[in-house]
Amino acid sequence: IVWGLGPAGVGGLSFMGGLLAVACGVGVAHLFDAASMLMLVFGGLISSALFTALLSLLKYIADPQNQLPDIVFWLLGSLTQVTPHALGVMAGPVVVGIVLLSACGRMLDGLAMGDEEARTLGIPVVALRYGVIGAATVLAALTVSVAGMIGWVGLVVPHVARLLVGPCNMRVLPTSACLGGMFLLVCDDLARTLSVEEIPVGLIADLLGVALFVAVLPLLRRGWRA
């Protein structure tokens, strides 16, 4: 947006930026203890802080009249700029990514028990972990590149899917993909009908996501205690 590259430039650079952000987080983890999940989380936090600061810098140098409103609106998330061509480009990689992640469901179940237990089951822990991170990064970057940042879908929907189909990742992953799409369509319908001017779908997703998470939290806590 700052460079005036148009929708194709915004989508392409946002996709590359997503990959770079995750690579930065993984790189930070490798500087200390690559095998530690805690360091991977810290690496993600450091990468998030870095790119948030860079985003703030871009907002600061952007034209306040012509560019800054576009940046803010894009960050709020919207489906108004999604074209059939963009959907056609991303449909193939998204479907392949979902299928591959779902196929790894049983190994992910083993990985959830801990690295040592997973290794005793013959699961390639390091390759699986970074392979899944890579596939999830591509999927997230693709969706953000065409719709902007729409939060809470990845936080709330998988919990709802687990309540519906159980903890097996082979079922949870495709169910989450379907429920996430349905949730986003509901949010988009509300964004287009609640006001004369279309509300950014990211705002609706945030509000509904918070309400839904509060509603399912007692069920989740009951499951944790069990």
Side-chain angles (χ1 to χ4, degrees):
I1 293 174
V2 172
W3 289 342
L5 298 182
V10 172
L13 287 177
S14 62
F15 175 74
M16 293 170 59
L19 299 181
L20 182 61
V22 176
C24 179
V26 173
V28 170
H30 270 272
L31 290 177
F32 298 96
D33 185 2
S36 171
M37 280 296 296
L38 184 60
M39 289 310 304
L40 197 58
V41 173
F42 280 139
L45 292 174
I46 293 172
S47 176
S48 177
L50 170 63
F51 280 85
T52 299
L54 293 175
L55 179 59
S56 298
L57 178 62
L58 285 177
K59 290 180 181 178
Y60 179 75
I61 65 176
D63 184 342
Q65 298 298 325
N66 299 318
Q67 295 176 339
L68 187 57
D70 291 340
I71 293 174
V72 173
F73 185 80
W74 189 85
L75 290 174
L76 291 175
S78 175
L79 301 183
T80 57
Q81 301 295 326
V82 180
T83 63
H85 175 71
L87 287 178
V89 169
M90 65 178 293
V94 167
V95 171
V96 171
I98 293 173
V99 171
L100 289 177
L101 289 175
S102 300
C104 294
R106 290 192 179 276
M107 289 192 292
L108 290 173
D109 293 340
L111 188 61
M113 297 187 296
D115 289 2
E116 294 302 323
E117 290 79 0
R119 288 191 179 95
T120 59
L121 295 173
I123 297 174
V125 172
V126 176
L128 177 64
R129 177 174 293 143
Y130 289 109
V132 167
I133 289 175
T137 299
V138 170
L139 291 176
L142 280 171
T143 54
V144 172
S145 68
V146 297
M149 295 175 61
I150 301 175
W152 284 93
V153 179
L155 178 63
V156 176
V157 171
H159 290 304
V160 176
R162 287 188 181 93
L163 292 174
L164 293 176
V165 300
C168 178
N169 282 294
M170 188 172 288
R171 295 193 299 268
V172 168
L173 288 167
T175 303
S176 296
C178 295
L179 290 179
M182 294 166 60
F183 177 74
L184 183 59
L185 287 176
V186 170
C187 293
D188 187 54
D189 286 342
L190 292 175
R192 295 172 187 267
T193 57
L194 290 179
S195 173
V196 176
E197 296 292 333
E198 182 176 341
I199 304 171
V201 68
L203 294 179
I204 302 297
D206 288 343
L207 295 174
L208 280 185
V210 170
L212 186 59
F213 191 72
V214 170
V216 302
L217 188 58
L219 299 176
L220 296 175
R221 293 186 62 190
R222 194 176 308 143
W224 294 334
R225 288 195 296 267

